[in-house]
Amino acid sequence: MLVIEWSRSARQDLADILLFIANDNPRAAKKMKVLISEAILPAAEHPHIFRRGRVDGTHEIIVHPNYLLIYQVVADRIRVMRVLHARRRYP
């Protein structure tokens, strides 16, 4: 099983998303945090299980219709690069 590591950008993305949601619905923000945090767990055992990303060397997980999680497989770890809103222009 690979170690999961969150980049500074991904941690900031997650914090921004949760703060935005919590302004209207704190309970929904807590649920979203769990949903996003747990979405990456299958990649620790099966690193290439999710679709290839639009950027070479990445994979993408559609966590929720509104959120996309971007990660890379790096040696002995999964590195979560970003958590993005689906309407955000990427890459």
Side-chain angles (χ1 to χ4, degrees), residues 26-67:
R27 179 182 260 167
K30 288 178 185 178
K31 287 181 180 181
M32 185 60 68
K33 181 179 182 181
V34 171
L35 182 66
I36 292 171
S37 299
E38 291 181 353
I40 191 65
L41 296 179
E45 289 201 36
H46 306 284
H48 301 285
I49 193 170
F50 296 103
R51 73 182 190 191
R52 288 181 181 216
R54 290 170 248 179
V55 174
D56 285 342
T58 66
H59 293 269
E60 299 177 1
I61 304 171
I62 299 171
V63 177
H64 176 276
N66 292 328
Y67 298 104

Side-chain angles (χ1 to χ4, degrees), residues 6-84:
W6 289 69
S7 71
R8 181 178 290 167
S9 295
R11 287 192 312 267
Q12 186 62 55
D13 290 340
L14 182 58
D16 292 345
I17 289 165
L18 298 177
L19 184 61
F20 179 78
I21 294 170
N23 282 331
D24 289 331
N25 189 336
R27 179 182 260 167
K30 288 178 185 178
K31 287 181 180 181
M32 185 60 68
K33 181 179 182 181
V34 171
L35 182 66
I36 292 171
S37 299
E38 291 181 353
I40 191 65
L41 296 179
E45 289 201 36
H46 306 284
H48 301 285
I49 193 170
F50 296 103
R51 73 182 190 191
R52 288 181 181 216
R54 290 170 248 179
V55 174
D56 285 342
T58 66
H59 293 269
E60 299 177 1
I61 304 171
I62 299 171
V63 177
H64 176 276
N66 292 328
Y67 298 104
L68 183 68
L69 190 146
I70 314 298
Y71 74 93
Q72 292 179 315
V73 180
V74 183
D76 62 343
R77 63 190 65 240
I78 300 295
R79 182 161 171 78
V80 179
M81 304 302 294
R82 300 297 307 262
V83 182
L84 303 173

